[in-house]
Amino acid sequence: VAALGLHVPSTAHSGVLGTSSLAARVAVPSRALSPALTSRPQVQRALQALTLTLEKLQEVKGRMLEALEQGLSQQSRAPSTVRMLPTFIRSTPDGTEEGDVLVVELCQSHVRTLWVTLTGDGNQSPQLLYRVFGMPGDVPRGSGEALFDFIAQCVKSFLEEIGSPQHRLPLGFVFPFSCRQTGLDKAELISWSKGFQCSDVEGRDVVQLLQAAISKQELYHVDVVALLNNTVGTMMTCSTREKPCEIALVVGSGTNCCFMAESHLLEMAEVTSGRMCVNSEWGCLGDDGALDDVLTPYDHRVDQESSNPGERRFEKLVGSLHLGEVVRHAMLMLASEQALFARRNTSILATRDVLTTQQVLEIMDNEDGMAKAQGMLEALGLQPSERDCCRVQQLCRAVVSRAAALSAAGLAAVLSHVCHSRELEHLEVSVGVDSGLYRTCARFGEILRSVVGLLAPECTATLVPSTDGSGLGAAMVTAVALRLAAQRHKVERLLAPLRLSRADLERVQALMRQEMERGLDRESNAESSLRMLPTYVCHTPDGTERGEFLALDLGGTNFRVLVVRVGQDNIHMTSDIYVIPTAIMQGTGEALFDHIIECIEDFQMKQELMGQVLPLGFTFSFPCQQLGLDKAVLLNWTKGFSASGCVGQDVVQMLRDAAQRNQRVALKVVAVVNDTVGTMMACGYHDPKCEIGLIVGTGTNTCYMEERAKVGTVEGDEGRMCINMEWGAFGDNGCLDNIFTSFDQLVDEKSINAGRQRFEKLISGMYLGEIVRHILMALVEEQVLFRGKPSHKLQNKDIFQTKFLSTIETPGLALLQVQGILRSLELDASFEDSVLVQEVCQTVSLRAAHLCAAGMAAVVEKMRESRGLEQLTITVGVDGTLYKMHPHFSQNLQQMLRELAPRCDVTFLQSEDGSGKGAALVAAVACRGAEPSSLQ
């Protein structure tokens, strides 16, 4: 426990960790100390003040966590002391980075330039050349122009010395000061520190200042690509292909931490997907008084003598620049109380920096520490006794142990935040560490690891020492930026054809309108890709429908039978679902309809309806030419059906024939409709303005109430008739070829109805997953996705289901959950891969929603013009899993529809069982006015 510098009260059993367990984690000093050596009450008080309980460390962790989350949010009432600055670094190295990178690092007293060659070997053996240029003493406090001119001159001298080629050279700039970044290569200096105070730089873009200075040196081939600090560089150098590093801790002369945060939490960065590295600037924790109960009188004196009193309070407790000073002030106060160096002249202790942090670390050593203490104190003329040396050693240990424990509390806060923000029960992560204290002081590392384990038990952190975090790290950041830029170019090229402009959508709208007009005209109907089929449904529900009806729903692999009771105030339904085996779907038509009749018989027996002949509405969701309300000729199968002997036949008659073969089931088929018409009727029962039906699910279709005078394919001019557009076939005549991409062509060619239902293959749930799959395979081939490794699973048709789009695009879904979905498909996805897959899904679903909006805009505009209205108010009854389940589809559709049809006020009403209830309502409307007894 003493080794940790922690105090655990003997009565404390607060669920943290018992004394014996804590002691087991860190070796106790081998040199036992006589109580007489440290028994003076003044010494005990000093050590007690420098010792933090676990409860206090938990409080510090909580304050850091609160400051982190406050800094991430723009909604906070007061600015956080922990700034949480976005760095615009959105990826860690994946090992494929290669090429030459130039780095320039601004240090306290010099400028370092590096030439780094990466070979794409997992960053295992980067080649480095570097040179250090001493900085004239007047530069750090001179003009900003002089500073950046000096840096540029160093770059020029270095390039001349190594004989660099004249091709474009990307440069990474290590600038270790607080900056407000608005891009990887855009950063305004917030404030100087560390003794720098150059004029005319604060508030300006330091990247531009450096680029301008480089141009003055005529180095036109050198481009500043990225700016970063050493903390970010540490994280980048500690990443490996197998285990990326996502957190970095720096404890040097100062202290800082950065980590890969979920982008949707970064309100100030205005980025919503993936992750971004955030530079916490946590050294300022406590500047608002949050650490006042931790600060000792020695800390206050160190702060008062510093160049920035009241600022960077956490850093002054942790950073090595200040530890020697804390020990000096503790010695000075104890000496004044005659607890140290009694009756000796101690005026030397009033001199700043007479004790360095390096000396503090040497004095802490178990074996040689006492000798080191004696030698150092004698050199100061203090003539120490053995007791004095022992007490100074204890002070050194307490100060360094406290620094380690506070660093651990801060790191634990970051770990807990990352774990919680990713919605994980347990986080395993690598933490890059760049710290002279960590490298040279075993005790510091032991305390750091142990206290992190105590304060963040839900996290397993592997601490990885950094090598040249500022130089090599800057090269890594620059190389990653170049890799991402090259990948982004490839992604944009592949996805560009799927990103339809407003003009593209207006052309689709005009083509849809043109095809509608041609389909309604008797002469040109055969030439249109839209069949515009009359349904003989001429009225929507008016609320007077009453009675008991049967409904059949056939539109996919499941078949439903329902009994629907329409009363004065409500509709009551009872139904059963029956599976249609693939063998029957693709067998004979006779077998298919015999199976349907057997299902009806089973249902009637269960519902005790045998012997009753109820009016029946039949939802048959396949393209049909209707010759009457109860007569429909199948034009072609879709949705995987291919039963023989059906195309060209009246499906109602085939149903009646099957009932006759069965001889136990009697039917009275009143109406045959498709699911789109049923959806319109079901919604029309609740909203009289509903005169359009839309299905966006496995397939897609639309129907609407057309002015009968505009329907040239049936007789009569009075009233209206519902037209089944069968708009899934829009474009089958080639009119949409210009918006078909190579991915759409691949999906079409592999489908069972190649060349048909072309519009449906751009929109509906049966195909969107396949479009995404083909795009992902192209991205793998371009070495952009899954590190270019071919996936055998991804070669399988339909492996990427459309439901994955809905899940992956769910707002706030943690990237690890997206990774989980991809890995369930045996896809070895990094978090960057997950971000890209999200983008692909969003692009495909957005195009689908916008194309659907363009089609709907054509429909509502035609209805408005046909009715001679300035403004149309209309409701669309809508059904389908894609519309209902996808998190953004409905919103994207409606927003684009408002833009494309501004003179139409369109409301969307989700259907409740349109294909079942809707079919019964079509039958009810047909029977409207008849006596209930006659209906039975």
Side-chain angles (χ1 to χ4, degrees):
V1 182
L4 276 172
L6 300 174
H7 173 63
V8 183
S10 59
T11 58
H13 297 286
S14 57
V16 186
L17 190 64
T19 304
S20 59
S21 300
L22 185 60
R25 283 176 174 262
V26 182
V28 176
S30 60
R31 179 185 173 97
L33 298 174
S34 166
L37 294 178
T38 58
S39 60
R40 290 291 293 269
Q42 299 95 326
V43 177
Q44 290 298 324
R45 280 199 303 273
L47 293 175
Q48 187 75 18
L50 292 165
T51 302
L52 301 175
T53 65
L54 288 174
E55 290 82 356
K56 182 59 67 178
L57 289 171
Q58 285 281 15
E59 291 177 19
V60 172
K61 174 196 169 182
R63 295 166 197 170
M64 179 69 83
L65 189 56
E66 182 181 354
L68 293 176
E69 293 174 352
Q70 185 180 353
L72 287 171
S73 172
Q74 288 185 328
Q75 305 303 317
S76 303
R77 293 180 180 177
S80 174
T81 54
V82 178
R83 290 196 178 108
M84 304 301 289
L85 303 171
T87 67
F88 294 85
I89 292 168
R90 305 191 64 189
S91 177
T92 54
D94 68 0
T96 64
E97 292 79 15
E98 57 183 340
D100 297 325
V101 177
L102 187 60
V103 174
V104 61
E105 177 186 6
L106 178 59
C107 303
Q108 188 112 20
S109 59
H110 62 271
V111 168
R112 185 168 67 132
T113 55
L114 299 92
W115 178 280
V116 182
T117 301
L118 300 172
T119 57
D121 64 349
N123 300 325
Q124 298 300 307
S125 53
Q127 300 168 22
L128 282 79
L129 295 172
Y130 72 93
R131 185 179 168 193
V132 174
F133 296 85
M135 190 187 307
D138 59 340
V139 169
R141 292 186 169 272
S143 70
E145 183 177 6
L147 171 67
F148 287 99
D149 282 347
F150 175 73
I151 297 171
Q153 288 163 10
C154 294
V155 172
K156 184 175 184 179
S157 297
F158 178 63
L159 292 177
E160 289 174 348
E161 184 177 316
I162 65 173
S164 73
Q166 291 299 303
H167 61 70
R168 178 178 180 259
L169 278 178
L171 182 145
F173 182 24
V174 184
F175 188 73
F177 303 96
S178 294
C179 289
R180 185 176 294 104
Q181 287 192 250
T182 55
L184 191 55
D185 60 349
K186 295 179 178 63
E188 292 180 0
L189 175 64
I190 296 173
S191 61
W192 288 111
S193 60
K194 304 172 187 175
F196 278 74
Q197 199 57 56
C198 296
S199 63
D200 201 26
V201 179
E202 291 181 354
R204 297 183 65 186
D205 185 344
V206 294
V207 174
Q208 283 187 359
L209 292 172
L210 177 58
Q211 190 70 65
I214 287 173
S215 296
K216 279 203 288 187
Q217 299 297 322
E218 299 182 353
L219 299 174
Y220 302 115
H221 61 302
V222 176
D223 291 330
V224 185
V225 171
L227 177 137
L228 69 156
N229 64 15
N230 58 335
T231 316
V232 176
T234 294
M235 184 183 76
M236 300 299 271
T237 57
C238 293
S239 277
T240 66
R241 178 182 297 175
E242 293 73 24
K243 195 163 186 182
C245 177
E246 298 185 89
I247 302 174
L249 167 67
V250 170
V251 187
S253 57
T255 184
N256 197 13
C257 182
C258 70
F259 63 95
M260 295 299 288
E262 303 299 302
S263 290
H264 67 90
L265 299 175
L266 289 170
E267 296 177 11
M268 69 205 89
E270 299 180 354
V271 178
T272 58
S273 63
R275 292 177 187 154
M276 181 183 288
C277 180
V278 176
N279 171 28
S280 71
E281 290 293 338
W282 76 3
C284 296
L285 179 72
D287 289 4
D288 58 354
L291 295 179
D292 284 358
D293 58 344
V294 173
L295 298 172
T296 67
Y298 327 125
D299 301 309
H300 287 299
R301 292 186 179 183
V302 169
D303 178 60
Q304 289 163 8
E305 290 182 358
S306 70
S307 61
N308 53 350
E311 298 178 10
R312 307 194 73 82
R313 302 308 298 269
F314 186 69
E315 183 170 273
K316 289 169 185 173
L317 296 173
V318 170
S320 61
L321 189 64
H322 308 283
L323 299 188
E325 282 296 279
V326 176
V327 173
R328 178 178 69 85
H329 276 290
M331 290 165 56
L332 184 60
M333 188 171 290
L334 288 172
S336 69
E337 296 171 345
Q338 296 297 304
L340 273 180
F341 316 122
R343 294 181 297 277
R344 293 176 179 81
N345 181 3
T346 59
S347 60
I348 187 65
L349 293 177
T351 306
R352 286 185 60 182
D353 298 325
V354 295
L355 180 63
T356 67
T357 297
Q358 181 57 42
Q359 289 172 320
V360 169
L361 297 178
E362 291 172 357
I363 291 170
M364 284 175 59
D365 186 74
N366 286 335
E367 302 300 327
D368 303 323
M370 288 289 285
K372 292 283 186 183
Q374 184 172 354
M376 184 273 297
L377 296 173
E378 287 177 349
L380 295 176
L382 294 171
Q383 301 176 1
S385 66
E386 182 183 3
R387 178 183 289 118
D388 291 332
C389 293
C390 177
R391 289 172 178 173
V392 169
Q393 185 181 54
Q394 288 299 92
L395 287 174
C396 291
R397 287 176 176 172
V399 169
V400 173
S401 297
R402 183 185 65 162
L406 286 170
S407 298
L411 181 56
V414 171
L415 289 165
S416 293
H417 169 80
V418 171
C419 186
H420 176 73
S421 65
R422 297 182 185 181
E423 299 178 10
L424 298 174
E425 291 184 5
H426 186 80
L427 172 71
E428 291 190 21
V429 69
S430 292
V431 178
V433 182
D434 187 0
S435 166
L437 291 172
Y438 182 79
R439 283 193 302 271
T440 60
C441 180
R443 183 186 304 276
F444 188 95
E446 290 167 355
I447 296 171
L448 181 66
R449 287 189 295 271
S450 299
V451 177
V452 165
L454 293 172
L455 299 183
E458 76 280 20
C459 306
T460 300
T462 302
L463 303 186
V464 182
S466 169
T467 54
D468 197 6
S470 52
L472 184 57
M476 291 295 185
V477 170
T478 307
V480 168
L482 295 173
R483 169 174 62 82
L484 293 180
Q487 290 178 348
R488 174 48 45 186
H489 177 74
K490 293 178 181 178
V491 170
E492 292 297 330
R493 178 172 51 80
L494 284 171
L495 295 184
L498 291 103
R499 291 178 169 143
L500 302 179
S501 65
R502 172 75 175 270
D504 293 329
L505 294 171
E506 288 172 347
R507 282 193 291 272
V508 172
Q509 178 182 352
L511 284 168
M512 177 74 82
R513 174 66 179 271
Q514 177 183 309
E515 292 291 285
M516 289 174 72
E517 302 282 8
R518 295 171 71 194
L520 288 170
D521 185 76
R522 187 186 299 273
E523 301 299 324
S524 59
N525 175 269
E527 300 169 6
S528 174
S529 60
L530 295 178
R531 294 205 171 98
M532 304 299 287
L533 304 170
T535 66
Y536 295 87
V537 173
C538 299
H539 302 281
T540 53
D542 64 4
T544 64
E545 296 77 19
R546 303 286 184 275
E548 196 170 37
F549 307 89
L550 271 182
L552 310 181
D553 175 17
L554 177 63
T557 54
N558 293 330
F559 167 65
R560 285 193 308 154
V561 186
L562 308 89
V563 60
V564 181
R565 297 174 178 89
V566 183
Q568 181 173 348
D569 299 319
N570 58 28
I571 295 177
H572 179 75
M573 296 186 296
T574 304
S575 66
D576 267 343
I577 297 175
Y578 299 89
V579 175
I580 301 179
T582 303
I584 291 179
M585 289 169 59
Q586 299 176 0
T588 66
E590 193 171 286
L592 173 62
F593 283 93
D594 284 346
H595 178 73
I596 292 171
I597 290 296
E598 289 169 8
C599 296
I600 295 172
E601 181 184 7
D602 177 77
F603 179 79
Q604 287 186 324
M605 290 177 65
K606 288 179 181 176
Q607 300 299 320
E608 300 179 354
L609 295 174
M610 295 299 289
Q612 296 189 53
V613 184
L614 301 179
L616 185 147
F618 183 15
T619 297
F620 188 74
S621 304
F622 301 93
C624 289
Q625 176 71 55
Q626 281 199 245
L627 304 177
L629 190 58
D630 63 347
K631 188 175 180 64
V633 175
L634 178 64
L635 297 173
N636 59 273
W637 284 115
T638 57
K639 305 173 188 176
F641 280 73
S642 59
S644 62
C646 298
V647 175
Q649 300 299 311
D650 178 3
V651 294
V652 174
Q653 190 57 50
M654 293 187 78
L655 184 66
R656 289 170 176 155
D657 291 345
Q660 282 191 337
R661 287 193 297 273
N662 178 280
Q663 295 187 343
R664 295 181 298 279
V665 176
L667 299 178
K668 181 182 179 181
V669 182
V670 173
V672 59
V673 296
N674 70 7
D675 54 349
T676 318
V677 178
T679 293
M680 181 187 75
M681 297 296 278
C683 292
Y685 181 80
H686 300 284
D687 184 350
K689 291 189 179 69
C690 183
E691 296 185 78
I692 302 174
L694 170 65
I695 300 290
V696 193
T698 307
T700 184
N701 193 20
T702 293
C703 69
Y704 71 103
M705 297 300 291
E706 178 61 275
E707 303 303 304
R708 191 142 182 183
K710 302 287 186 180
V711 184
T713 51
V714 294
E715 300 299 326
D717 293 334
E718 296 300 319
R720 295 171 182 160
M721 180 181 287
C722 180
I723 298 297
N724 170 24
M725 292 178 63
E726 289 296 338
W727 83 353
F730 177 42
D732 286 4
N733 59 0
C735 66
L736 289 181
D737 284 358
N738 65 318
I739 67 166
F740 263 69
T741 68
S742 58
F743 310 116
D744 301 314
Q745 297 287 359
L746 288 168
V747 171
D748 181 49
E749 289 166 6
K750 300 293 184 182
S751 67
I752 62 171
N753 57 349
R756 291 160 55 191
Q757 298 296 108
R758 303 293 296 279
F759 193 58
E760 183 169 88
K761 288 170 184 171
L762 300 175
I763 290 177
S764 72
M766 179 172 277
Y767 303 102
L768 297 191
E770 271 297 277
I771 296 171
V772 169
R773 183 178 72 88
H774 282 289
I775 296 171
L776 298 186
M777 287 196 296
L779 290 169
V780 171
E781 191 174 331
E782 290 279 1
Q783 304 283 308
V784 172
L785 195 61
F786 310 136
R787 298 191 183 94
K789 295 178 182 175
S791 165
H792 298 299
K793 195 85 174 257
L794 204 55
Q795 304 291 329
N796 297 334
K797 187 174 182 287
D798 297 325
I799 191 68
F800 199 96
Q801 301 170 35
T802 297
K803 70 177 182 181
F804 293 146
L805 276 76
S806 298
T807 305
I808 287 171
E809 292 185 59
T810 300
L813 185 71
L815 281 174
L816 285 175
Q817 293 174 270
V818 178
Q819 264 184 308
I821 293 169
L822 297 174
R823 286 177 177 173
S824 71
L825 300 174
E826 298 177 15
L827 300 171
D828 184 18
S830 66
F831 98 88
E832 289 95 345
D833 292 332
S834 302
V835 173
L836 184 50
V837 170
Q838 272 187 328
E839 182 181 358
V840 172
C841 291
Q842 289 164 355
T843 301
V844 170
S845 67
L846 181 65
R847 182 185 68 156
H850 283 176
L851 285 170
C852 194
M856 186 55 65
V859 173
V860 295
E861 274 296 309
K862 186 179 188 315
M863 293 176 74
R864 184 187 66 79
E865 292 179 18
S866 295
R867 299 178 185 188
L869 299 173
E870 282 294 317
Q871 191 77 20
L872 173 71
T873 300
I874 196 84
T875 297
V876 178
V878 61
D879 202 353
T881 52
L882 183 59
Y883 184 92
K884 288 183 173 180
M885 303 303 292
H886 191 281
H888 306 297
F889 189 94
S890 60
Q891 179 183 345
N892 291 333
L893 187 163
Q894 293 174 39
Q895 182 176 334
M896 183 52 67
L897 177 58
R898 285 191 292 270
E899 294 181 26
L900 295 175
R903 297 170 72 181
C904 300
D905 182 10
V906 184
T907 301
F908 285 78
L909 179 61
Q910 288 194 26
S911 168
E912 297 175 8
D913 194 14
S915 51
K917 182 168 71 174
L921 284 166
V922 173
V925 170
C927 299
R928 195 160 58 199
E931 292 298 322
S933 59
S934 71
L935 298 181
Q936 297 186 24

